[in-house]
């Protein structure tokens, strides 16, 4: 009797799991005709890699919870009291683009990229004390369509592949002293690959707060 | 060296300079327009503020090669601009300046603020002017003058 | 700022129509007025006939009616190019709307009557030149009247003057411009009647600055804006450790840039550097960045902040040289520990960072030279340039340019910036060379307000007032080894180290102040208000602590503690108390009031601030300031100086307000690492109240600075319960 119950439970579990998989959109269609699934475990492992990039200075400095950006590898508050402003672009008289142009200005040490601005507060990856949020918290924010501008898996992948300010992180230009800014912990290609695996794994998020 | 066609205060100017030269030094040395000042060279003080296509811009960090055909407006043309003139008059009326070295930049930032927000709140003023350094610390009167100019602008 | 040619024309025009005031006469009169003088005056400064260095005019009445008044000071924000002409124009009865001003070049006749050199400092411009400019104005008027009286064959007594016109009996009148030529041939009167203060029509009134409009429309030229035909730009690579030397350098890379003219080693005041001369600023900067310099940094001290603090903490525990010793030096030891406070304070190196980076332009022509410097120290700088070029001072035509701030940074005894410029100009004979220090050069270049340690032991009497006060101060001397040493170092103590404490107006029995002036390989300099920057902080926070302990209102406590003869301080305490009472009684939740008062440079200031904490920083919502500066020549200038001067004083509180050293090198490089106050760091509003006075005017340049920091932290202490004895305020 126990065996039947166990099997029944197992079957129930498998069905439930399958249902959950379907509901969570794990089977992604449309962008690739090849077999493109990854396991949840693979997705989680890939997420760890993605998280390590997102919380590296070149990315997280503009994903703040405060009304200011950060700068530098030590991630201190950006100098000259620049502020977020209503649209993350600064304020009249002190816009992001008051200094940051469309490309890096290596001769003066100011980084630049298209439409330089702060990520919206919905996409903050730190708390108000400038501490990076946990892996699970960042992940949850990333997949929350009400926060991420309606992006699903494919859109998230495309964002990481093509968005100008994302690409900037791997071409961050020179500091005023001539040294190259620190790159994220892996190449852009590796980052995209990890993103893809994570997406194919169902954009799983680790448990926890 | 490269040649650039610049649109400065509504006039076409041609310069021949090292492309990496900040716009600030092109204005000051090639065009002899010394109203825009050098205070720090790292965009921390705002003394070098001009308007590029109407946006307050710190010219000490913008290489001339990145300017393109955007219109460059400097302090020298503010007297002929209604908002610029109102700000300058308020500055004089309220006796804002001391050494005066930062004031070109202060005025350019203030004009950008008033262009976007004709009736700024105290917070608006503080945020928009928050990156302009004045070592004489004339900030109390800068606040007063901006409010006064704001009242003069229709 | 004028080109050489323009100046020549100017001088000729001046000689035709100006009134030459003999320096001998002015000097003679002034001696009798300045017999009891503060710090700098000594025998050598008095009654010296001036040598004649052209041009030497103070007043130029032009044919078109404009009156050019020459100001014997640098204008660097303090408003002197308006207030000194006001004084002269008032006595002269000139039409103020026609007055214009310029800054005097270096010449004997423009020396500070008290200090004996041409300079700005010690908050002395009005204090020392008030009488001088009054007499100049009165004498000019007398000569104009004499000319009119002659013309009309009447007696001068029958004439009166108003608004640049002499009026005679009947309907006779003549404009000053018409009379100027004749007046110039009149004898300069030995004695003149000065106005009764009730006759002033400018002095004592709020008068708008003369230089506002040009400073608002970009037309005002500063030293850095100078442009001369054929001019080159120079920059110097300085050793990363002070007094280091060049061992060798490779300029191959630097010279590949288009427009690099010269690269060579130059001697500095100490050690050596490498000069780069180029056509443009950007070229010079890039070329200098490309230099590969091998420095010899051996045999010199490599300053290190943590090592220095260890040393200072040791020294401050040992008695130093005596500055003041009143009563029983051991009295404090006899007071029970429970009734003693021991307070130790630390103050970091501070950079001045005036808004206009340091610069000097020199052209060497072999037997002459010409220099343009935004200088607080014209006499010294002119001499130094001459020395470098092998010329006498009078062979150096020295123009005073408008300066973008100074705060003491442009008054350097060794004239190191003009010397660098001259050294480079020497090599490029006939070429004007503009030497520029970048902001990085400035932040790293030394000449800081020295770091200081204080250790104070206060014994409290049964009446809650101090019964004994033993105070040790450690800090570098500003003048040791310089020509100013004899004047300022007494008994081995540099007076500038202890001023504000040693000369306190508080009645402190058994008062014992000693000081150590260690030698450190960091060049140091007076920073606006000098010793008062740290001493006032100590005095005013400690007095506040005593008041808190005694549960006595801090204003009341100070009233009790001040010596009866501290009239100016009492007057400002009272006025500040009165004017701030309404808001001090109505503080919002999370706000506290902080009080401080201090007298320096003969001016007393009392300050009350409304402080709250926002984003972990002090927010100064309001400051009420009371000032006693004697007669306020231009109350508008006084108001501005105090409203803004306290904002400058906040520099000491900024989180990134310290210059620190590691292995000999300055750790900061620009405003990102050494951050002065921005608009949100300064008081939001500041109301200034001047004690009505007819006493001689005293200075306003420096007195605002010392009071703000202690006032703010006294308020913070109420909010947080902590005491703040280490600056800057990194965290609250």
């Amino acid at each position: 009797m126990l065996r039947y119950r166990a099997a029944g439970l197992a079957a129930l579990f498998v069905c439930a799991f399958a249902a959950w998989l379907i509901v969570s959109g794990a089977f992604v269609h449309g962008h690739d005709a090849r077999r493109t699934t990854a396991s949840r475990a693979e997705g989680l492992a890939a997420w760890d890699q993605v998280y390590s990039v997102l919380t590296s200075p070149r990315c997280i400095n503009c994903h703040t919870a405060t009304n200011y950006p950060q700068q530098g590898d030590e991630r201190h508050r950006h100098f000259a009291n620049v502020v977020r402003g209503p649209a993350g672009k600064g304020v009249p008289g002190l816009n992001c683009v008051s200094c940051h142009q469309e490309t890096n200005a290596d001769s003066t040490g100011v980084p630049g990229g298209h439409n330089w601005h702060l990520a919206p507060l919905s996409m903050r990856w730190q708390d108000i004390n400038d501490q990076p949020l946990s892996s699970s918290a960042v992940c949850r924010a990333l997949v929350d369509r009400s926060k991420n501008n309606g992006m699903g898996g494919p859109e998230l992948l495309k964002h990481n592949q093509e968005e100008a300010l994302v690409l900037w992180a791997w071409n961050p230009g020179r500091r005023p002293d001539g040294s190259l800014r620190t790159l994220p912990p892996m190449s852009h290609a590796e980052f995209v690959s990890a993103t893809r695996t994570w997406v194919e794994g169902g954009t799983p998020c680790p448990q926890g707060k | 060296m490269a040649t650039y066609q610049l649109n400065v205060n509504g006039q076409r100017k041609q310069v021949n300079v090292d492309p990496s030269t900040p716009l600030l030094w092109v204005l000051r040395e090639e065009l002899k327009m010394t109203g825009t000042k050098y205070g720090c060279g790292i965009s921390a003080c705002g003394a070098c503020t001009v308007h590029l296509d109407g946006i307050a811009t710190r010219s000490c960090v913008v290489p001339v090669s990145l300017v393109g055909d955007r219109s460059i407006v400097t302090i020298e043309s503010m007297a002929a601009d209604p908002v610029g003139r109102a700000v300058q008059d308020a500055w004089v009326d309220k006796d804002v300046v001391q050494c005066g070295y930062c004031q070109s930049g202060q005025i350019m930032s203030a004009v950008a603020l008033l262009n976007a927000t004709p009736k700024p709140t105290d917070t608006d003023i503080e945020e928009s002017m928050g990156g302009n350094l004045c070592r004489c610390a004339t900030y109390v009167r800068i606040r007063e003058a901006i409010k006064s100019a704001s009242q003069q602008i229709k | 700022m004028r080109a050489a040619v323009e100046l020549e024309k100017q001088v000729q025009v001046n000689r035709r129509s100006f009134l030459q005031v003999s320096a001998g006469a002015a000097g003679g009169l002034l001696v009798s007025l300045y017999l009891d003088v503060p710090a700098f005056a000594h025998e050598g400064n008095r009654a010296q006939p001036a040598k004649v260095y052209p041009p030497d005019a103070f007043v130029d009445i032009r044919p078109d009616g404009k009156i050019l008044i020459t100001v014997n000071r640098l204008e660097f924000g303090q408003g002197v190019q308006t207030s000194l002409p006001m004084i002269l124009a008032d006595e002269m009865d000139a039409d103020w709307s026609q007055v214009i001003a310029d800054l005097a070049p270096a010449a004997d006749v423009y020396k500070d009557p008290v200090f004996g050199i041409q300079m700005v400092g010690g908050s002395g411009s009005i204090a020392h030149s008030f009488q001088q400019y009054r007499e100049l104005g009165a004498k000019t008027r007398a000569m104009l009247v004499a000319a009119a009286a002659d013309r009309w064959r009447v007696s001068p007594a029958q004439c009166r003057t108003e608004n640049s016109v002499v009026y005679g009996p009947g309907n006779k009148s003549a404009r000053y411009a018409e009379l100027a030529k004749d007046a110039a041939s009149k004898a300069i009167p030995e004695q003149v009647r000065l106005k009764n203060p009730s006759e002033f029509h400018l002095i004592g009134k709020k008068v708008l600055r003369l230089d506002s409009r040009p400073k608002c429309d970009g037309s005002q030229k500063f030293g850095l804006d100078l442009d001369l035909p054929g001019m080159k730009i120079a920059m110097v690579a300085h050793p990363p450790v002070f007094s280091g030397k060049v061992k060798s350098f490779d300029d191959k890379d630097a010279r590949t840039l288009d427009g690099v003219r010269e690269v060579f080693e130059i001697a500095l005041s100490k050690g050596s550097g490498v000069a780069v001369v180029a056509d443009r600023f950007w070229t010079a900067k890039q070329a200098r960045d490309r230099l590969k310099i091998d420095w010899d940094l051996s045999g010199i001290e490599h300053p290190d902040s943590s090592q220095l603090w260890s040393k200072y903490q040791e020294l401050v525990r040992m008695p130093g040289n005596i500055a003041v010793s009143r009563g029983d030096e051991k009295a404090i030891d006899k007071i029970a520990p429970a009734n003693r406070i021991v307070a130790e304070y630390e103050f970091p190196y501070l950079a001045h960072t005036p808004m206009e980076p340091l610069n000097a332009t020199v052209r060497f022509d072999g037997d002459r030279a010409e220099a343009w410097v935004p200088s607080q120290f014209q006499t010294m700088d002119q001499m130094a340039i001459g020395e470098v070029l092998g010329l006498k001072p009078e062979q150096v035509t020295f123009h005073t340019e408008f300066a973008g701030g100074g705060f003491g940074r442009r008054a350097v005894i060794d004239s190191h910036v003009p010397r660098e410029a001259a050294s480079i100009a020497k090599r490029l004979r006939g070429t004007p060379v503009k030497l520029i220090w970048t902001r990085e050069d400035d932040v790293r270049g030394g000449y800081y307000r020295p770091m200081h340690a204080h250790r104070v032991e206060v014994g409290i009497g049964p009446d809650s007032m101090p019964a004994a006060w033993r105070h040790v101060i450690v800090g570098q001397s500003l003048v040791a080894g310089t020509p100013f040493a004899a004047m300022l170092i007494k008994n081995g103590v540099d007076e500038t180290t202890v001023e504000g404490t040693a000369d306190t107006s508080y009645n402190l029995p058994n008062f014992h102040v000693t000081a150590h002036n260690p030698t450190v390989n960091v060049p140091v300099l007076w920073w606006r208000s000098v010793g008062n920057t740290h001493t006032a902080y100590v005095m005013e926070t400690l007095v506040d602590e005593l008041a808190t302990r005694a549960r006595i209102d801090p204003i009341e406590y100070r009233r009790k503690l001040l010596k009866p003869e501290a009239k100016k301080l009492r007057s400002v305490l009272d006025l500040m108390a009165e004017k701030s009472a309404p808001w001090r009684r109505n503080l919002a939740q999370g706000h506290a009031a902080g009080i401080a008062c201090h007298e320096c440079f003969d001016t007393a200031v009392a300050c009350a601030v409304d402080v709250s904490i926002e984003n972990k920083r002090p927010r100064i919502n309001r400051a009420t300031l009371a000032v006693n500066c004697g007669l306020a020549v231009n109350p508008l200038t006084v108001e501005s100086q105090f409203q803004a001067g306290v904002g400058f004083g906040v520099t000491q509180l900024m989180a990134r307000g310290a210059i620190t050293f590691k292995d000999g090198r300055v750790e900061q490089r620009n405003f990102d690492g050494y951050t002065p106050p921005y608009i949100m760091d300064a008081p939001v509003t500041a109301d200034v109240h001047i004690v009505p006075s007819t006493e001689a005017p005293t200075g306003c340049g420096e007195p605002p600075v010392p009071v703000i920091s202690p006032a703010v932290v006294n308020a913070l202490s109420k909010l947080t319960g902590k005491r703040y004895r280490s600056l800057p305020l990194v965290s609250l």
Side-chain angles (χ1 to χ4, degrees):
Chain A
M1 283 305 259
L2 277 171
R3 263 209 322 262
Y4 289 123
R5 189 170 299 166
L9 281 170
L12 193 59
F13 178 73
V14 168
C15 288
F17 183 63
W20 179 85
L21 280 177
I22 290 162
V23 163
S24 70
F27 294 102
V28 181
H29 301 288
H31 73 279
D32 196 324
R34 300 182 316 224
R35 187 166 186 277
T36 56
T37 54
S39 71
R40 179 184 160 80
E42 285 167 333
L44 282 171
W47 166 253
D48 277 347
Q49 305 231 293
V50 172
Y51 176 70
S52 76
V53 171
L54 300 190
T55 53
S56 69
R58 300 289 83 72
C59 304
I60 202 172
N61 281 353
C62 291
H63 282 262
T64 63
T66 56
N67 76 333
Y68 53 82
Q70 291 149 2
Q71 59 182 160
D73 289 348
E74 338 73 62
R75 297 183 36 236
H76 56 264
R77 179 173 178 164
H78 192 305
F79 68 62
N81 300 306
V82 300
V83 291
R84 175 178 286 278
K89 298 184 179 199
V91 291
L94 203 55
N95 314 85
C96 304
V97 300
S98 294
C99 306
H100 297 277
Q101 304 297 300
E102 289 282 300
T103 58
N104 293 323
D106 278 351
S107 66
T108 58
V110 176
H114 177 62
N115 190 22
W116 195 271
H117 67 286
L118 277 181
L121 283 167
S122 60
M123 216 26 64
R124 64 186 178 277
W125 298 336
Q126 312 180 40
D127 63 21
I128 54 159
N129 293 313
D130 298 341
Q131 300 306 306
L133 295 177
S134 70
S135 178
S136 50
V138 173
C139 184
R140 281 198 304 278
L142 229 68
V143 301
D144 184 340
R145 289 192 199 227
S146 72
K147 289 182 178 167
N148 70 10
N149 211 25
M151 288 198 269
E155 291 79 25
L156 286 169
L157 176 61
K158 192 172 150 81
H159 182 80
N160 287 359
Q161 272 175 307
E162 296 172 12
E163 169 63 35
L165 291 183
V166 172
L167 289 169
W168 171 82
W170 282 269
N171 177 24
R174 293 188 179 277
R175 304 185 184 100
D177 67 5
S179 58
L180 202 52
R181 285 192 179 83
T182 311
L183 298 175
M186 66 193 65
S187 71
H188 182 246
E190 288 166 335
F191 174 64
V192 169
S193 169
T195 306
R196 180 174 287 115
T197 305
W198 174 61
V199 166
E200 289 170 1
T203 63
C205 288
Q207 303 280 52
K209 286 223 176 83
Chain B
M1 302 286 265
T3 304
Y4 296 95
Q5 304 285 344
L6 300 175
N7 175 356
V8 183
N9 294 330
Q11 294 190 321
R12 312 217 69 195
K13 300 281 184 190
Q14 181 169 301
V15 296
N16 189 254
V17 285
D18 174 342
S20 73
T21 310
L23 175 60
L24 171 66
W25 294 104
V26 173
L27 291 169
R28 289 180 57 83
E29 290 183 324
E30 307 310 310
L31 301 179
K32 310 293 183 190
M33 297 168 66
T34 58
T36 310
K37 304 299 186 196
Y38 165 66
C40 72
I42 62 164
S43 71
C45 77
C48 67
T49 305
V50 298
H51 297 168
L52 279 194
D53 273 357
I55 297 176
T57 302
R58 302 199 161 195
S59 62
C60 73
V61 293
V62 178
V64 65
S65 59
L66 295 186
V67 174
D69 57 8
R70 288 185 279 175
S71 76
I72 304 163
V73 166
T74 71
I75 185 70
E76 283 88 352
S77 72
M78 283 295 104
D81 173 87
V83 175
R85 184 74 198 197
V87 170
Q88 288 175 334
D89 287 350
W91 245 243
V92 171
D93 186 52
K94 296 287 178 191
D95 222 48
V96 171
V97 312
Q98 290 198 5
C99 86
Y101 194 80
C102 75
Q103 301 293 351
S104 297
Q106 302 280 0
I107 288 169
M108 295 305 282
S109 295
V111 170
L113 166 62
L114 291 170
N115 279 339
T117 314
K119 304 290 171 200
T121 62
D122 288 342
T123 305
D124 291 334
I125 293 172
E126 201 167 292
E127 287 189 338
S128 283
M129 304 301 291
N132 280 80
L133 202 45
C134 173
R135 284 303 281 132
C136 300
T138 63
Y139 301 118
V140 168
R141 297 181 102 90
I142 286 176
R143 288 177 190 265
E144 286 175 16
I146 291 175
K147 289 186 196 167
S148 170
S150 159
Q151 275 151 25
Q152 299 308 312
I153 296 164
K154 297 288 167 265
Chain C
M1 169 207 114
R2 308 183 191 107
V5 169
E6 256 186 282
L7 179 63
E8 228 9 80
K9 271 201 282 202
Q10 197 85 27
V11 168
Q12 282 158 21
V13 167
N14 282 354
R15 286 194 177 125
R16 276 205 299 281
S17 66
F18 81 64
L19 302 167
Q20 179 155 3
V21 177
S22 112
L29 269 166
L30 285 161
V31 164
S32 62
L33 290 158
Y34 286 97
L35 282 173
D36 17 291
V37 217
F40 291 108
H42 62 126
E43 280 308 308
N45 287 339
R46 294 200 223 151
Q48 300 235 345
K51 297 181 200 132
V52 177
Y53 297 115
D56 55 358
F58 286 86
V59 186
D60 171 15
I61 304 170
R62 296 188 168 164
D64 65 356
K66 285 259 182 284
I67 298 175
L68 174 66
I69 297 177
T70 296
V71 172
N72 63 356
R73 307 282 165 177
L74 173 70
E75 169 61 59
F76 61 156
Q78 84 281 47
V80 78
Q81 47 62 57
T82 298
S83 37
L84 280 176
M86 268 171 72
I87 296 166
L88 196 156
D90 201 327
E91 291 286 355
M92 188 181 150
D93 277 332
D95 177 356
W96 180 249
S97 72
Q98 297 302 303
V99 171
I100 53 180
D102 70 353
L103 305 186
D108 273 0
V109 71
Y110 299 121
K111 288 178 173 174
D112 179 305
V114 173
F115 291 154
I117 54 173
Q118 192 169 348
M119 59 164 284
V120 166
S123 299
S125 298
I126 301 296
H128 300 169
S129 284
F130 182 59
Q131 190 73 10
Q132 177 190 32
Y133 271 66
R134 288 187 72 185
E135 287 172 10
L136 287 165
K139 287 181 180 186
T140 307
R141 178 191 168 277
M143 292 157 80
L144 288 160
V145 167
D150 251 14
R151 191 183 283 194
W152 301 326
R153 295 184 212 288
V154 300
S155 104
Q158 294 172 277
C159 302
R160 67 173 186 91
T161 52
E162 190 182 330
N163 257 357
S164 293
V165 177
V166 183
Y167 295 95
N171 277 328
K172 294 194 189 22
S173 72
R175 289 175 297 111
Y176 282 9
E178 298 172 49
L179 296 164
K181 189 155 176 270
D182 289 345
S185 66
K186 291 287 162 203
I188 301 168
E190 290 273 320
Q191 301 275 347
V192 276
R193 178 196 161 266
L194 297 180
K195 282 186 177 180
N196 192 295
S198 63
E199 300 170 86
F200 288 153
H201 66 275
L202 286 169
I203 298 172
K205 307 281 184 294
K206 289 189 176 187
V207 174
L208 291 175
R209 296 178 69 109
L210 291 175
D211 57 356
S212 271
R213 185 68 63 176
K215 289 179 175 178
C216 290
D217 65 16
S219 64
Q220 177 65 57
K221 299 289 185 188
F222 297 83
L224 202 76
D225 300 324
L226 187 68
D227 184 35
L228 299 167
M231 188 178 78
K232 298 292 168 206
I233 306 295
M235 282 189 203
V236 175
H238 301 106
V241 180
F242 298 117
S243 62
K245 296 196 287 277
V246 177
K247 220 187 306 192
S248 67
F249 68 91
D250 173 1
D251 61 0
K252 235 182 7 268
D253 216 3
R255 285 187 183 271
T256 60
L257 288 163
D258 208 351
V260 174
R261 297 289 158 201
E262 302 256 358
V263 183
F264 54 93
E265 182 179 331
I266 60 164
L268 302 175
S269 294
K270 287 202 181 130
S272 61
V274 181
V276 175
V277 183
D279 292 345
R280 297 176 166 96
F281 176 96
W282 194 245
T283 315
K285 181 189 179 296
Q286 286 188 292
R288 188 178 70 171
D289 288 344
R290 288 181 185 196
L291 290 175
K292 297 180 189 47
I293 306 177
D294 199 8
W295 295 102
D296 176 6
L297 305 176
S298 66
I300 55 178
E301 180 196 344
H302 287 225
D304 180 279
S305 284
S306 53
Q307 283 173 21
L308 284 169
W309 282 123
S310 299
K311 175 172 169 182
Y312 277 41
Q313 286 307 329
E314 264 180 54
L315 281 174
V316 86
R317 276 159 179 67
M318 304 180 329
N321 292 322
I322 297 174
V324 179
S325 183
R326 272 202 308 267
D328 177 6
E329 194 237 318
K330 303 278 183 225
I332 184 110
D333 301 315
K334 299 166 194 158
I335 295 176
N339 294 329
R340 268 191 256 162
I341 295 178
V342 179
E344 295 185 16
Y345 289 77
E346 290 183 342
F347 301 91
Y349 284 106
L350 296 176
H352 306 63
T353 61
M355 215 53 221
E356 180 200 12
L358 301 171
N359 62 87
T361 303
V362 178
R363 191 194 68 246
F364 175 53
D365 298 316
D367 59 346
R368 293 207 56 81
E370 200 166 356
W372 297 257
V373 186
S375 168
Q376 285 179 250
F377 246 26
Q378 294 97 319
T379 304
M380 312 285 289
D381 288 351
Q382 183 190 39
M383 240 170 21
I385 292 169
E387 220 174 83
V388 170
L389 299 175
L391 299 171
K392 299 201 201 73
E394 54 265 36
Q395 291 171 292
V396 179
T397 304
F398 185 105
H399 307 277
T400 306
E401 302 303 296
F402 270 73
F407 319 118
R409 187 60 182 90
R410 302 190 204 262
V412 193
I413 302 172
D414 70 7
S415 300
H416 68 109
V417 171
R419 277 183 194 273
E420 275 181 25
S423 304
I424 300 167
K426 189 168 188 175
R427 185 129 155 177
L428 280 85
R429 192 151 142 171
T431 301
V433 173
K434 183 198 283 182
L435 168 75
I436 298 179
W437 275 40
T438 62
R439 181 59 64 192
E440 288 82 7
D441 294 338
D442 177 46
V443 171
R444 292 187 161 147
Y447 298 89
Y448 306 123
R449 195 285 307 262
M451 62 184 264
H452 288 86
H454 287 235
R455 187 165 187 274
V456 193
E457 298 165 278
V458 183
I460 303 161
D463 59 354
S464 302
M465 309 308 282
W469 187 294
R470 191 159 61 195
H471 198 140
V472 183
I473 305 178
V474 181
Q476 288 169 259
S477 165
L478 299 183
V479 298
T482 76
F484 286 55
M487 235 171 353
L488 287 171
I489 299 184
K490 304 274 180 322
N491 191 34
V493 175
D494 183 333
E495 288 189 349
T496 66
T497 304
V498 299
E499 67 183 351
T501 287
D503 55 354
T504 182
S505 293
Y506 289 123
N507 191 11
L508 303 175
N510 301 310
F511 185 51
H512 197 69
V513 180
T514 68
H516 303 265
N517 289 131
T519 304
V520 182
N521 181 26
V522 176
V524 290
L525 189 60
W526 25 66
W527 191 98
R528 192 173 176 189
S529 80
V530 200
N532 301 284
T533 57
H534 52 99
T535 58
Y537 187 89
V538 173
M539 302 307 283
E540 287 304 291
T541 52
L542 268 180
V543 165
D544 218 68
E545 204 174 319
L546 292 170
T548 305
R549 249 182 97 115
R551 294 188 211 283
I552 297 175
D553 170 80
I555 297 174
E556 202 41 52
Y557 193 91
R558 286 169 170 82
R559 282 197 182 109
K560 284 180 75 169
L561 190 56
L562 280 174
K563 295 175 185 166
E565 60 266 32
K567 291 212 189 74
K568 278 190 171 179
L569 273 169
R570 287 183 180 283
S571 72
V572 296
L573 257 184
D574 289 345
L575 186 56
M576 173 274 288
E578 178 203 329
K579 296 295 182 187
S580 62
W583 63 257
R584 276 186 297 114
R585 288 193 223 113
N586 257 316
L587 287 166
Q589 186 77 274
H591 291 228
I595 304 291
C597 69
H598 194 70
E599 182 166 344
C600 57
F601 307 98
D602 298 319
T603 291
V605 190
C607 175
V609 287
D610 168 346
V611 174
S612 54
I613 298 174
E614 264 171 52
N615 300 316
K616 305 183 190 163
R617 295 304 304 167
R619 178 141 177 104
I620 311 169
N621 302 285
R622 177 173 187 166
T624 291
L625 297 153
V627 179
N628 192 327
C629 56
L631 171 70
V633 168
N634 185 344
L636 191 53
T637 305
V638 175
E639 188 182 82
S640 294
Q641 279 283 60
F642 279 88
Q643 279 177 331
V646 293
F648 176 88
V650 174
T651 307
Q652 295 207 65
L653 300 178
M654 297 299 292
R656 289 175 180 220
I659 295 291
T660 57
F661 288 85
K662 203 167 163 66
D663 185 35
R665 288 150 175 81
V666 177
E667 294 187 280
Q668 294 73 28
R669 62 162 185 147
N670 202 315
F671 289 137
D672 52 348
Y674 180 77
T675 307
Y678 287 85
I679 190 169
M680 62 283 280
D681 303 304
V684 177
T685 64
D687 45 290
V688 179
H689 309 273
I690 303 170
V691 173
S693 169
T694 52
E695 283 177 40
T698 54
C700 293
E702 291 164 287
V705 177
V707 288
I708 190 69
S709 301
V712 170
V713 302
N714 286 342
L716 284 174
S717 291
K718 289 194 189 151
L719 293 171
T720 66
K722 296 190 203 153
R723 292 275 155 206
Y724 300 93
R725 296 187 179 147
S726 180
L727 289 183
L729 291 183
V730 174
S731 69
L732 305 188

